């Protein structure tokens, strides 16, 4: 099973980026997909998740970021608008999947987002 994330890069404050993540392999039934991030010197934190069409956001990104499932199966998109320097972090894609009889957490390799002028 692989989660392949893409779309990171350097952007100026106020700019936008789109992160994409595609899961491949025998992942099972995906219950939820989302994004986490780890900023330099900080713990990993939830950014946004989506499950059964319901999205959940960190307070720090609500109103600026939008998470959605892609048109292609087993993909998730994070639209990031009005980016701020404090959004600088490595962003990790996550999938919560059910492969009977067990539940699994899968992580992507991370993609760096740098917000700087």
């Amino acid at each position: 099973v692989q989660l392949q994330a893409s779309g990171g890069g350097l952007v100026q404050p106020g700019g936008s980026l789109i992160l994409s993540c595609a899961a491949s392999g025998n992942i099972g039934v995906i219950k939820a997909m989302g994004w986490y991030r780890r900023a330099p010197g900080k713990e990993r934190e939830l950014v946004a998740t989506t499950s059964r069409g319901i999205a959940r956001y960190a307070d720090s990104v609500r109103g600026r970021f939008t998470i959605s499932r892609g048109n292609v199966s087993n993909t998730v998109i994070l639209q990031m608008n009005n980016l701020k320097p404090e959004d600088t972090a490595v962003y990790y894609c996550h999938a919560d999947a059910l492969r009977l009889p067990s539940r699994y957490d899968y992580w992507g390799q991370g993609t760096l987002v740098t917000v700087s002028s």
Side-chain angles (χ1 to χ4, degrees), residues 50-55 69:
T50 179
S51 176
R52 299 181 184 178
I54 297 173
R69 295 294 298 271

Short mmCIF file of all heavy atoms in Angstrom, two decimals, residues 50-55 69:
data_model
loop_
_atom_site.label_atom_id
_atom_site.label_comp_id
_atom_site.label_asym_id
_atom_site.label_seq_id
_atom_site.Cartn_x
_atom_site.Cartn_y
_atom_site.Cartn_z
N THR A 50 -11.60 13.99 6.13
CA THR A 50 -12.93 13.80 5.57
C THR A 50 -13.32 12.35 5.69
O THR A 50 -12.52 11.44 5.40
CB THR A 50 -13.00 14.27 4.11
OG1 THR A 50 -14.31 14.05 3.61
CG2 THR A 50 -11.99 13.56 3.23
N SER A 51 -14.56 12.15 6.14
CA SER A 51 -15.08 10.80 6.32
C SER A 51 -16.58 10.84 6.04
O SER A 51 -17.29 11.64 6.64
CB SER A 51 -14.81 10.32 7.74
OG SER A 51 -15.39 9.04 7.96
N ARG A 52 -17.02 9.99 5.16
CA ARG A 52 -18.45 9.91 4.80
C ARG A 52 -18.99 11.26 4.41
O ARG A 52 -20.13 11.61 4.76
CB ARG A 52 -19.25 9.34 5.97
CG ARG A 52 -18.85 7.94 6.37
CD ARG A 52 -19.71 7.43 7.52
NE ARG A 52 -19.29 6.12 7.96
CZ ARG A 52 -19.85 5.47 8.97
NH1 ARG A 52 -20.86 6.01 9.61
NH2 ARG A 52 -19.41 4.29 9.34
N GLY A 53 -18.18 12.05 3.73
CA GLY A 53 -18.62 13.35 3.26
C GLY A 53 -18.57 14.45 4.30
O GLY A 53 -18.93 15.60 4.01
N ILE A 54 -18.13 14.14 5.50
CA ILE A 54 -18.06 15.13 6.56
C ILE A 54 -16.60 15.55 6.75
O ILE A 54 -15.73 14.70 6.96
CB ILE A 54 -18.63 14.59 7.88
CG1 ILE A 54 -20.10 14.25 7.70
CG2 ILE A 54 -18.44 15.60 9.01
CD1 ILE A 54 -20.72 13.57 8.88
N ALA A 55 -16.36 16.84 6.67
CA ALA A 55 -15.01 17.38 6.79
C ALA A 55 -14.80 17.95 8.20
O ALA A 55 -15.72 18.50 8.81
CB ALA A 55 -14.77 18.45 5.75
N ARG A 69 -12.63 14.66 -1.39
CA ARG A 69 -12.22 13.42 -2.04
C ARG A 69 -12.15 13.70 -3.54
O ARG A 69 -13.01 14.35 -4.10
CB ARG A 69 -13.18 12.28 -1.73
CG ARG A 69 -13.20 11.89 -0.26
CD ARG A 69 -11.89 11.28 0.20
NE ARG A 69 -11.57 10.06 -0.50
CZ ARG A 69 -11.96 8.85 -0.09
NH1 ARG A 69 -12.67 8.72 1.02
NH2 ARG A 69 -11.64 7.79 -0.78
#
